[in-house]
mmCIF file of all heavy atoms in Angstrom:
data_model
loop_
_atom_site.group_PDB
_atom_site.id
_atom_site.type_symbol
_atom_site.label_atom_id
_atom_site.label_comp_id
_atom_site.label_asym_id
_atom_site.label_seq_id
_atom_site.Cartn_x
_atom_site.Cartn_y
_atom_site.Cartn_z
ATOM 1 N N GLU A 25 -13.561 -17.694 7.431
ATOM 2 C CA GLU A 25 -13.266 -18.935 8.142
ATOM 3 C C GLU A 25 -11.753 -19.127 8.343
ATOM 4 O O GLU A 25 -11.315 -19.907 9.208
ATOM 5 C CB GLU A 25 -13.853 -20.140 7.391
ATOM 6 C CG GLU A 25 -13.151 -20.524 6.092
ATOM 7 C CD GLU A 25 -13.475 -19.640 4.898
ATOM 8 O OE1 GLU A 25 -14.233 -18.665 5.075
ATOM 9 O OE2 GLU A 25 -12.961 -19.931 3.797
ATOM 10 N N LYS A 26 -10.945 -18.412 7.558
ATOM 11 C CA LYS A 26 -9.486 -18.435 7.682
ATOM 12 C C LYS A 26 -8.947 -17.059 8.081
ATOM 13 O O LYS A 26 -7.780 -16.732 7.840
ATOM 14 C CB LYS A 26 -8.830 -18.874 6.372
ATOM 15 C CG LYS A 26 -9.151 -20.299 5.968
ATOM 16 C CD LYS A 26 -8.508 -21.324 6.909
ATOM 17 C CE LYS A 26 -8.723 -22.737 6.423
ATOM 18 N NZ LYS A 26 -8.087 -23.731 7.335
ATOM 19 N N LYS A 27 -9.794 -16.265 8.715
ATOM 20 C CA LYS A 27 -9.442 -14.926 9.160
ATOM 21 C C LYS A 27 -8.892 -14.068 7.993
ATOM 22 O O LYS A 27 -8.021 -13.237 8.156
ATOM 23 C CB LYS A 27 -8.423 -14.962 10.307
ATOM 24 C CG LYS A 27 -8.980 -15.649 11.551
ATOM 25 C CD LYS A 27 -7.980 -15.656 12.691
ATOM 26 C CE LYS A 27 -8.577 -16.358 13.902
ATOM 27 N NZ LYS A 27 -7.615 -16.416 15.038
ATOM 28 N N ASN A 28 -9.456 -14.312 6.827
ATOM 29 C CA ASN A 28 -9.094 -13.564 5.615
ATOM 30 C C ASN A 28 -7.598 -13.647 5.296
ATOM 31 O O ASN A 28 -7.004 -12.705 4.751
ATOM 32 C CB ASN A 28 -9.547 -12.095 5.714
ATOM 33 C CG ASN A 28 -11.044 -11.959 5.760
ATOM 34 O OD1 ASN A 28 -11.772 -12.794 5.236
ATOM 35 N ND2 ASN A 28 -11.536 -10.920 6.397
ATOM 36 N N ALA A 29 -6.987 -14.783 5.638
ATOM 37 C CA ALA A 29 -5.592 -15.022 5.260
ATOM 38 C C ALA A 29 -5.507 -15.080 3.741
ATOM 39 O O ALA A 29 -6.373 -15.612 3.057
ATOM 40 C CB ALA A 29 -5.103 -16.345 5.864
ATOM 41 N N ILE A 30 -4.446 -14.493 3.197
ATOM 42 C CA ILE A 30 -4.348 -14.242 1.762
ATOM 43 C C ILE A 30 -3.506 -15.319 1.074
ATOM 44 O O ILE A 30 -2.361 -15.557 1.449
ATOM 45 C CB ILE A 30 -3.743 -12.856 1.499
ATOM 46 C CG1 ILE A 30 -4.454 -11.790 2.340
ATOM 47 C CG2 ILE A 30 -3.851 -12.508 0.017
ATOM 48 C CD1 ILE A 30 -3.788 -10.421 2.273
ATOM 49 N N THR A 31 -4.083 -15.945 0.055
ATOM 50 C CA THR A 31 -3.386 -16.947 -0.739
ATOM 51 C C THR A 31 -2.804 -16.308 -1.999
ATOM 52 O O THR A 31 -3.147 -15.166 -2.356
ATOM 53 C CB THR A 31 -4.347 -18.075 -1.157
ATOM 54 O OG1 THR A 31 -5.346 -17.510 -2.012
ATOM 55 C CG2 THR A 31 -5.000 -18.730 0.055
ATOM 56 N N SER A 32 -1.986 -17.070 -2.715
ATOM 57 C CA SER A 32 -1.425 -16.572 -3.981
ATOM 58 C C SER A 32 -2.552 -16.242 -4.976
ATOM 59 O O SER A 32 -2.479 -15.224 -5.684
ATOM 60 C CB SER A 32 -0.502 -17.623 -4.592
ATOM 61 O OG SER A 32 0.644 -17.803 -3.791
ATOM 62 N N ALA A 33 -3.584 -17.067 -5.019
ATOM 63 C CA ALA A 33 -4.696 -16.823 -5.940
ATOM 64 C C ALA A 33 -5.399 -15.502 -5.606
ATOM 65 O O ALA A 33 -5.794 -14.749 -6.511
ATOM 66 C CB ALA A 33 -5.689 -17.971 -5.896
ATOM 67 N N MET A 34 -5.527 -15.205 -4.317
ATOM 68 C CA MET A 34 -6.142 -13.939 -3.905
ATOM 69 C C MET A 34 -5.291 -12.743 -4.308
ATOM 70 O O MET A 34 -5.774 -11.724 -4.768
ATOM 71 C CB MET A 34 -6.408 -13.954 -2.392
ATOM 72 C CG MET A 34 -7.459 -14.981 -1.961
ATOM 73 S SD MET A 34 -7.446 -15.336 -0.184
ATOM 74 C CE MET A 34 -8.045 -13.776 0.497
ATOM 75 N N TYR A 35 -3.984 -12.902 -4.146
ATOM 76 C CA TYR A 35 -3.068 -11.827 -4.567
ATOM 77 C C TYR A 35 -3.201 -11.571 -6.062
ATOM 78 O O TYR A 35 -3.232 -10.423 -6.519
ATOM 79 C CB TYR A 35 -1.626 -12.189 -4.231
ATOM 80 C CG TYR A 35 -1.226 -11.964 -2.796
ATOM 81 C CD1 TYR A 35 -0.718 -12.998 -2.019
ATOM 82 C CD2 TYR A 35 -1.337 -10.694 -2.218
ATOM 83 C CE1 TYR A 35 -0.334 -12.785 -0.705
ATOM 84 C CE2 TYR A 35 -0.972 -10.490 -0.893
ATOM 85 C CZ TYR A 35 -0.469 -11.522 -0.154
ATOM 86 O OH TYR A 35 -0.093 -11.326 1.157
ATOM 87 N N HIS A 36 -3.258 -12.639 -6.845
ATOM 88 C CA HIS A 36 -3.378 -12.481 -8.306
ATOM 89 C C HIS A 36 -4.657 -11.717 -8.680
ATOM 90 O O HIS A 36 -4.607 -10.827 -9.545
ATOM 91 C CB HIS A 36 -3.380 -13.855 -8.993
ATOM 92 C CG HIS A 36 -2.035 -14.515 -9.060
ATOM 93 N ND1 HIS A 36 -0.930 -13.882 -9.599
ATOM 94 C CD2 HIS A 36 -1.622 -15.743 -8.662
ATOM 95 C CE1 HIS A 36 0.116 -14.707 -9.532
ATOM 96 N NE2 HIS A 36 -0.280 -15.835 -8.977
ATOM 97 N N ARG A 37 -5.755 -12.025 -8.024
ATOM 98 C CA ARG A 37 -7.020 -11.347 -8.329
ATOM 99 C C ARG A 37 -6.937 -9.861 -8.001
ATOM 100 O O ARG A 37 -7.391 -9.009 -8.773
ATOM 101 C CB ARG A 37 -8.182 -11.981 -7.564
ATOM 102 C CG ARG A 37 -8.819 -13.142 -8.327
ATOM 103 C CD ARG A 37 -10.037 -13.735 -7.623
ATOM 104 N NE ARG A 37 -11.095 -12.810 -7.315
ATOM 105 C CZ ARG A 37 -12.002 -12.358 -8.200
ATOM 106 N NH1 ARG A 37 -11.906 -12.698 -9.474
ATOM 107 N NH2 ARG A 37 -12.977 -11.554 -7.813
ATOM 108 N N MET A 38 -6.336 -9.539 -6.863
ATOM 109 C CA MET A 38 -6.235 -8.129 -6.483
ATOM 110 C C MET A 38 -5.264 -7.373 -7.383
ATOM 111 O O MET A 38 -5.507 -6.219 -7.733
ATOM 112 C CB MET A 38 -5.809 -8.024 -5.016
ATOM 113 C CG MET A 38 -6.868 -8.475 -4.036
ATOM 114 S SD MET A 38 -6.462 -8.069 -2.308
ATOM 115 C CE MET A 38 -5.030 -9.129 -2.013
ATOM 116 N N THR A 39 -4.173 -8.028 -7.767
ATOM 117 C CA THR A 39 -3.207 -7.402 -8.672
ATOM 118 C C THR A 39 -3.876 -7.055 -9.989
ATOM 119 O O THR A 39 -3.735 -5.920 -10.501
ATOM 120 C CB THR A 39 -2.021 -8.343 -8.914
ATOM 121 O OG1 THR A 39 -1.384 -8.621 -7.674
ATOM 122 C CG2 THR A 39 -1.010 -7.711 -9.869
ATOM 123 N N ASP A 40 -4.592 -8.007 -10.550
ATOM 124 C CA ASP A 40 -5.278 -7.766 -11.820
ATOM 125 C C ASP A 40 -6.294 -6.628 -11.696
ATOM 126 O O ASP A 40 -6.420 -5.799 -12.602
ATOM 127 C CB ASP A 40 -5.993 -9.048 -12.285
ATOM 128 C CG ASP A 40 -5.018 -10.134 -12.723
ATOM 129 O OD1 ASP A 40 -3.833 -9.838 -12.934
ATOM 130 O OD2 ASP A 40 -5.461 -11.302 -12.828
ATOM 131 N N ALA A 41 -7.003 -6.592 -10.570
ATOM 132 C CA ALA A 41 -8.011 -5.546 -10.377
ATOM 133 C C ALA A 41 -7.368 -4.171 -10.290
ATOM 134 O O ALA A 41 -7.892 -3.191 -10.853
ATOM 135 C CB ALA A 41 -8.824 -5.824 -9.116
ATOM 136 N N LEU A 42 -6.241 -4.056 -9.577
ATOM 137 C CA LEU A 42 -5.569 -2.765 -9.453
ATOM 138 C C LEU A 42 -5.016 -2.284 -10.794
ATOM 139 O O LEU A 42 -5.130 -1.099 -11.139
ATOM 140 C CB LEU A 42 -4.448 -2.863 -8.420
ATOM 141 C CG LEU A 42 -4.863 -3.040 -6.976
ATOM 142 C CD1 LEU A 42 -3.647 -3.259 -6.092
ATOM 143 C CD2 LEU A 42 -5.655 -1.822 -6.474
ATOM 144 N N ILE A 43 -4.423 -3.198 -11.550
ATOM 145 C CA ILE A 43 -3.872 -2.825 -12.855
ATOM 146 C C ILE A 43 -4.968 -2.369 -13.795
ATOM 147 O O ILE A 43 -4.845 -1.365 -14.505
ATOM 148 C CB ILE A 43 -3.068 -4.004 -13.442
ATOM 149 C CG1 ILE A 43 -1.808 -4.245 -12.613
ATOM 150 C CG2 ILE A 43 -2.711 -3.741 -14.902
ATOM 151 C CD1 ILE A 43 -1.060 -5.523 -12.983
ATOM 152 N N ALA A 44 -6.090 -3.106 -13.799
ATOM 153 C CA ALA A 44 -7.220 -2.735 -14.649
ATOM 154 C C ALA A 44 -7.815 -1.396 -14.235
ATOM 155 O O ALA A 44 -8.209 -0.584 -15.077
ATOM 156 C CB ALA A 44 -8.285 -3.829 -14.624
ATOM 157 N N ALA A 45 -7.867 -1.139 -12.939
ATOM 158 C CA ALA A 45 -8.467 0.113 -12.438
ATOM 159 C C ALA A 45 -7.674 1.337 -12.878
ATOM 160 O O ALA A 45 -8.239 2.414 -13.097
ATOM 161 C CB ALA A 45 -8.561 0.075 -10.922
ATOM 162 N N ASN A 46 -6.365 1.188 -13.030
ATOM 163 C CA ASN A 46 -5.537 2.321 -13.452
ATOM 164 C C ASN A 46 -6.009 2.912 -14.775
ATOM 165 O O ASN A 46 -5.927 4.124 -14.977
ATOM 166 C CB ASN A 46 -4.070 1.880 -13.587
ATOM 167 C CG ASN A 46 -3.303 1.983 -12.288
ATOM 168 O OD1 ASN A 46 -3.667 2.738 -11.398
ATOM 169 N ND2 ASN A 46 -2.229 1.213 -12.185
ATOM 170 N N ASP A 47 -6.489 2.061 -15.658
ATOM 171 C CA ASP A 47 -6.872 2.495 -17.004
ATOM 172 C C ASP A 47 -8.378 2.622 -17.192
ATOM 173 O O ASP A 47 -8.841 2.822 -18.311
ATOM 174 C CB ASP A 47 -6.304 1.522 -18.042
ATOM 175 C CG ASP A 47 -4.785 1.496 -18.037
ATOM 176 O OD1 ASP A 47 -4.185 2.571 -17.898
ATOM 177 O OD2 ASP A 47 -4.204 0.394 -18.134
ATOM 178 N N ASP A 48 -9.122 2.512 -16.113
ATOM 179 C CA ASP A 48 -10.575 2.612 -16.179
ATOM 180 C C ASP A 48 -11.012 3.989 -15.655
ATOM 181 O O ASP A 48 -10.952 4.248 -14.455
ATOM 182 C CB ASP A 48 -11.214 1.497 -15.348
ATOM 183 C CG ASP A 48 -12.718 1.404 -15.536
ATOM 184 O OD1 ASP A 48 -13.339 2.425 -15.920
ATOM 185 O OD2 ASP A 48 -13.279 0.318 -15.292
ATOM 186 N N GLU A 49 -11.423 4.858 -16.565
ATOM 187 C CA GLU A 49 -11.801 6.214 -16.169
ATOM 188 C C GLU A 49 -13.038 6.250 -15.274
ATOM 189 O O GLU A 49 -13.248 7.251 -14.576
ATOM 190 C CB GLU A 49 -12.015 7.068 -17.402
ATOM 191 C CG GLU A 49 -10.747 7.304 -18.214
ATOM 192 C CD GLU A 49 -10.982 8.226 -19.401
ATOM 193 O OE1 GLU A 49 -12.143 8.638 -19.605
ATOM 194 O OE2 GLU A 49 -10.017 8.527 -20.118
ATOM 195 N N ASP A 50 -13.831 5.200 -15.302
ATOM 196 C CA ASP A 50 -15.033 5.175 -14.464
ATOM 197 C C ASP A 50 -14.708 4.861 -13.002
ATOM 198 O O ASP A 50 -15.551 5.066 -12.126
ATOM 199 C CB ASP A 50 -16.024 4.133 -14.985
ATOM 200 C CG ASP A 50 -16.614 4.537 -16.322
ATOM 201 O OD1 ASP A 50 -16.688 5.754 -16.592
ATOM 202 O OD2 ASP A 50 -17.004 3.647 -17.093
ATOM 203 N N ILE A 51 -13.518 4.345 -12.753
ATOM 204 C CA ILE A 51 -13.110 4.072 -11.369
ATOM 205 C C ILE A 51 -12.296 5.257 -10.859
ATOM 206 O O ILE A 51 -11.242 5.576 -11.395
ATOM 207 C CB ILE A 51 -12.293 2.774 -11.268
ATOM 208 C CG1 ILE A 51 -13.158 1.575 -11.635
ATOM 209 C CG2 ILE A 51 -11.730 2.599 -9.854
ATOM 210 C CD1 ILE A 51 -12.404 0.267 -11.684
ATOM 211 N N ARG A 52 -12.816 5.928 -9.844
ATOM 212 C CA ARG A 52 -12.197 7.126 -9.318
ATOM 213 C C ARG A 52 -11.527 6.894 -7.962
ATOM 214 O O ARG A 52 -10.716 7.717 -7.525
ATOM 215 C CB ARG A 52 -13.244 8.241 -9.175
ATOM 216 C CG ARG A 52 -13.947 8.609 -10.471
ATOM 217 C CD ARG A 52 -13.035 9.423 -11.379
ATOM 218 N NE ARG A 52 -13.742 9.952 -12.538
ATOM 219 C CZ ARG A 52 -14.419 11.112 -12.548
ATOM 220 N NH1 ARG A 52 -14.482 11.850 -11.448
ATOM 221 N NH2 ARG A 52 -15.014 11.516 -13.639
ATOM 222 N N ALA A 53 -11.892 5.812 -7.263
ATOM 223 C CA ALA A 53 -11.297 5.507 -5.959
ATOM 224 C C ALA A 53 -11.492 4.023 -5.672
ATOM 225 O O ALA A 53 -12.435 3.393 -6.186
ATOM 226 C CB ALA A 53 -11.954 6.329 -4.838
ATOM 227 N N ILE A 54 -10.589 3.452 -4.877
ATOM 228 C CA ILE A 54 -10.621 2.026 -4.560
ATOM 229 C C ILE A 54 -10.634 1.867 -3.045
ATOM 230 O O ILE A 54 -9.879 2.541 -2.324
ATOM 231 C CB ILE A 54 -9.385 1.314 -5.151
ATOM 232 C CG1 ILE A 54 -9.375 1.462 -6.684
ATOM 233 C CG2 ILE A 54 -9.363 -0.157 -4.757
ATOM 234 C CD1 ILE A 54 -8.086 1.017 -7.336
ATOM 235 N N VAL A 55 -11.473 0.946 -2.568
ATOM 236 C CA VAL A 55 -11.599 0.687 -1.137
ATOM 237 C C VAL A 55 -11.273 -0.768 -0.831
ATOM 238 O O VAL A 55 -11.797 -1.671 -1.476
ATOM 239 C CB VAL A 55 -13.030 1.001 -0.647
ATOM 240 C CG1 VAL A 55 -13.166 0.705 0.857
ATOM 241 C CG2 VAL A 55 -13.391 2.461 -0.931
#
Side-chain angles (χ1 to χ4, degrees):
E25 72 283 2
K26 295 292 185 179
K27 297 181 180 178
N28 295 333
I30 311 172
T31 64
S32 293
M34 294 164 69
Y35 280 124
H36 285 306
R37 272 183 56 78
M38 292 191 292
T39 300
D40 291 344
L42 291 174
I43 292 172
N46 273 337
D47 297 320
D48 189 336
E49 294 183 358
D50 292 333
I51 295 175
R52 301 286 188 86
I54 299 169
V55 179

